[in-house]
Amino acid sequence: MRGPLGAVIGRYPSSDGTTQIGGIIRHNRKCRDVAFLVIFIAFWVAMIVNSSFGFNQGNPSRLTYGLDYKGNLCGDKHADPGLRELELKYWLNPNQVYQSGVKDSQFKLSDARSICLLDCPIPSEDSLNWVCDYPEGDIRLSMDDWIDRNYDYYEFLTPEMRNASLQLQGPCYPVIFPSVNVYWSCQFIARASNSSLRHWQQMGGVKINEDIVIDKSIHRSINSRSSVLKRYMADIGKAWPVLIVCGGLLPLFLSVVWLLMIRHFVTAMPWITVALFNILIITVTMFYYLKAGWIGNDAISPIIGEHDPYIHVYGRELNHLRAVAILMTSVMVVSILTSIAIVRRILMATSVLKVAAKVIGEAQALIIFPIIPYAILAIFYMFWISAALHLFSSGQVIQDNCNTNCCAYDLESKKVNCDRCCGYSIHYTPHIAVAIFFHLFGCYWATQFFIACSSTVIAGSVASYYWARGETSPEIPFLPVFASMKRLIRYSLGSVALGSLIVSFVESIRFILESIRRKLKVAGTTPDSWFGKMGYHTSQGCLRCVQWTIKSVNRNAYIMIAITGKSFCRASAIATELIMNNILRIGRVNVIGDVILFLGKLCVSLSSAVFGFLMLDTHKYRSSHNKISSPLLPVLVCWALGYVVATLFFAVVEMSIDTIILSFCQDSEEHQGTAQYAPPLLIETLNDQNEMQRLTQ
């Protein structure tokens, strides 16, 4: 049997019948779930070690730029030779590019000879242009002179070198095909220059294949899944100012404004929230249509810099944007229809929000408090994103093991070399994938932990207010918040760590099962029988239900932890029993309020997405070095960060409502249906007899 909560928090009757001011009875509390706090601390130590591996092995520039035939990263000023500002990867031998694209060929594009250039070469209309290898050996040119000569020192070659060049073995190679900068790689356009090709043939050069395969080979490499994933991650690094403004500062401002409006315009806020949500989701959907090219002429392009307007190159990113545009259309239609359906219930939400508004008005520190977990999470996310970029770019640069003909003239040995002429690539070991998954899980657990801590502090503050009968005093505005923080840090961090771990674990299982489903679908091995399909969809539905139930129970468990100081499991049992005994009271009053609060969070996060689109549409992110491949992932991250920030601040209202309702139900249960500790503010809000009867029956 659990004891009366009025004797735990606030003003409580003593043994002689008088009322004393005591706050928490400290001897009733002790540290709970310490083992899980130790696990959480150990996990953070492992996160730091894991991140240090990424900082040691990774280089975010690898996500954007390619490797030359020596294994140097394009744009690396520390390479040999120095490649500062030489950021474009260019394949010298067009026949090797063609060979890599032939079906069933053993030759890989990574083994084709490539160097780093400042810009993509174009054929001459009246002569033959050359692109020569890095100046070494007898070629007495500096890198700057080599660049100034447009990479051409053919006139300095010996007869032996010239003969090797005509055999496409270097050190100089003809520029036969025009090329364009596609994601920092020079993609050939399978449209050979007739003039250059004629000069090449007159000089006695070997036959050059002109098939469209030369175009598709590079295009296929640039649009591989690994390359697209790298570009998406690189977009996060390039768009960090957007993440700070639209994922951090803007949702902070909007969340505080929303709380202030709840405080002063509580009657109108549900209507404003629903209307604003519909406007924002339509706006975000239209932005996706614009970037997908279905509205206007502002579709994303993989080509960087100025180019021939008649050249069109398409990337996977455009297909992804179009898929998301279709998905957002479906979400938009469902959301609008749902918001129309709940219009008649908005009046009920208004009465519930009044309770929280009055509590916030008395305990004003509740509006300021979320800034503390916000600042902690902001520092954590900056560290986490930086570590994630390094982890995704970690790996070893090793030379490929090829058995094909890749002979090329070596300027240092002064002969054609056919040994160790294979290209280089970045080798990713399985433990890197494990490290990345561990990093992702750590982010989710840490986020849930800090949100849970914030919710527990808010619940303790509101419970202090309720069980003190809501009487105004100089202590009410600030003391409950800091006292609740002290109780959390001293006694309940382990319980919060356990609750956040359970949510993270269930979510991770659901993510793994969804990944397996997608792989099976791609492989064509999904269950064909109706029994198999039914079992799969049933398991997915059950996992979603379990996830929702755990999150709901956790939220109420945090309230009971703040009130009683019990362990997580015991607090969950108390909360579950209380909910089951008063399901109609809590459900009918609180569900519609939760819907309005959820729409409010979406309004803040969708506003972050809209401003993210606007910032990414500026010239800075559409050209030159900061050009992003697609606004998809940066906007999604802005949305996610905005939702987390909104969750921190909206928890003030959310936990206030839940705590007041749970405390009211517990108070009524302990006093034969009549709440004894209900503060005047709550009674004033619920003074309508029909509303009070609905709460207590």
Side-chain angles (χ1 to χ4, degrees), residues 1 27 60 86 91 114 121 146 233 274 317-318 340 359 380 385 466 480 514 521 529 549 628:
M1 288 294 292
H27 64 261
L86 300 179
W91 286 271
S114 60
W146 176 65
M233 292 304 301
V274 172
E317 289 86 350
L318 185 63
I340 294 174
V359 175
F380 168 72
I385 291 176
Y466 179 91
E514 182 65 18
K521 185 176 181 180
S529 65
T549 303
I628 60 172

Side-chain angles (χ1 to χ4, degrees), residues 469-538:
R469 290 188 172 92
E471 296 180 8
T472 58
S473 72
E475 297 177 347
I476 289 296
F478 293 97
L479 183 59
V481 175
F482 292 104
S484 184
M485 288 177 60
K486 181 180 177 181
R487 293 193 298 270
L488 169 70
I489 296 173
R490 184 171 180 181
Y491 300 110
S492 303
L493 283 178
S495 301
V496 171
L498 174 57
S500 56
L501 174 62
I502 293 174
V503 174
S504 304
F505 185 72
V506 172
E507 187 68 21
S508 299
I509 291 177
R510 196 170 70 84
F511 174 78
I512 292 173
L513 290 178
E514 182 65 18
S515 301
I516 293 174
R517 183 192 70 84
R518 291 181 178 275
K519 288 186 177 181
L520 291 177
K521 185 176 181 180
V522 171
T525 57
T526 52
D528 296 327
S529 65
W530 67 270
F531 182 78
K533 291 181 179 180
M534 182 183 69
Y536 169 76
H537 290 294
T538 301

Side-chain angles (χ1 to χ4, degrees), residues 411-423:
L411 287 171
E412 292 185 345
S413 61
K414 300 180 182 180
K415 65 178 182 178
V416 176
N417 186 6
C418 296
D419 298 329
R420 298 188 57 80
C421 58
C422 301

Side-chain angles (χ1 to χ4, degrees), residues 60-103:
S61 295
R62 295 177 183 173
L63 301 173
T64 302
Y65 306 116
L67 302 175
D68 66 5
Y69 74 92
K70 293 186 175 184
N72 296 321
L73 182 68
C74 291
D76 185 5
K77 62 181 180 181
H78 300 296
D80 183 22
L83 301 178
R84 183 183 180 88
E85 296 184 355
L86 300 179
E87 299 166 337
L88 276 69
K89 183 175 182 177
Y90 178 74
W91 286 271
L92 293 168
N93 191 333
N95 277 359
Q96 287 183 339
V97 175
Y98 171 83
Q99 186 180 355
S100 66
V102 175
K103 187 177 180 180

Side-chain angles (χ1 to χ4, degrees), residues 13-19:
S14 64
S15 58
D16 59 2
T18 60
T19 301

Side-chain angles (χ1 to χ4, degrees), residues 181 206 252 294 297 316 360 396 412 465 483 487 508 592 675:
N181 182 358
V206 299
L252 170 65
W294 287 342
N297 298 312
R316 279 178 177 260
I360 294 172
Q396 294 181 339
E412 292 185 345
Y465 170 83
R487 293 193 298 270
S508 299
I592 191 66

Side-chain angles (χ1 to χ4, degrees), residues 115-352:
I115 61 174
C116 303
L117 303 180
L118 188 63
D119 49 14
C120 292
I122 56 175
S124 174
E125 296 182 356
D126 53 5
S127 62
L128 180 62
N129 288 344
W130 298 84
V131 173
C132 301
D133 200 349
Y134 303 129
E136 295 174 332
D138 292 339
I139 306 300
R140 307 297 182 183
L141 287 176
S142 66
M143 290 293 290
D144 290 336
D145 293 336
W146 176 65
I147 295 172
D148 292 339
R149 296 179 58 88
N150 290 325
Y151 328 109
D152 182 1
Y153 51 76
Y154 182 79
E155 61 182 283
F156 301 142
L157 299 185
T158 63
E160 180 185 3
M161 294 180 184
R162 294 192 178 191
N163 183 60
S165 298
L166 293 177
Q167 301 298 318
L168 288 180
Q169 293 179 339
C172 292
Y173 298 82
V175 181
I176 303 296
F177 298 93
S179 58
V180 63
N181 182 358
V182 177
Y183 297 134
W184 306 103
S185 294
C186 293
Q187 177 172 326
F188 290 150
I189 306 299
R191 193 170 60 229
S193 168
N194 293 329
S195 174
S196 298
L197 193 58
R198 184 172 60 255
H199 280 85
W200 172 255
Q201 293 171 347
Q202 290 174 354
M203 295 176 68
V206 299
K207 176 179 173 56
I208 293 179
N209 297 293
E210 304 177 56
D211 196 274
I212 196 173
V213 171
I214 198 173
D215 184 337
K216 292 183 176 180
S217 177
I218 298 178
H219 185 75
R220 186 164 54 246
S221 173
I222 293 175
N223 282 283
S224 65
R225 291 184 178 179
S226 60
S227 298
V228 173
L229 179 60
K230 287 181 181 179
R231 288 198 294 270
Y232 276 144
M233 292 304 301
D235 290 343
I236 299 299
K238 295 175 184 177
W240 64 265
V242 179
L243 301 185
I244 292 177
V245 174
C246 299
L249 301 179
L250 180 65
L252 170 65
F253 172 76
L254 293 178
S255 298
V256 173
V257 169
W258 198 90
L259 287 180
L260 293 175
M261 292 185 70
I262 278 288
R263 172 71 183 93
H264 298 287
F265 306 102
V266 64
T267 304
M269 278 309 294
W271 301 96
I272 295 174
T273 301
V274 172
L276 187 61
F277 167 72
N278 289 325
I279 293 173
L280 287 171
I281 197 169
I282 292 173
T283 303
V284 171
T285 304
M286 291 302 102
F287 267 114
Y288 277 113
Y289 272 77
L290 284 170
K291 294 303 176 183
W294 287 342
I295 298 179
N297 298 312
D298 198 26
I300 62 171
S301 172
I303 302 177
I304 300 174
E306 298 181 357
H307 62 280
D308 188 339
Y310 294 101
I311 296 177
H312 298 284
V313 180
Y314 296 96
R316 279 178 177 260
E317 289 86 350
L318 185 63
N319 295 332
H320 295 166
L321 275 177
R322 290 177 174 175
V324 173
I326 295 173
L327 176 63
M328 286 298 300
T329 303
S330 304
V331 173
M332 178 184 68
V333 172
V334 173
S335 301
I336 293 175
L337 294 177
T338 303
S339 63
I340 294 174
I342 67 170
V343 166
R344 297 178 61 184
R345 302 279 183 174
I346 287 181
L347 292 177
M348 186 186 301
T350 302
S351 65
V352 176

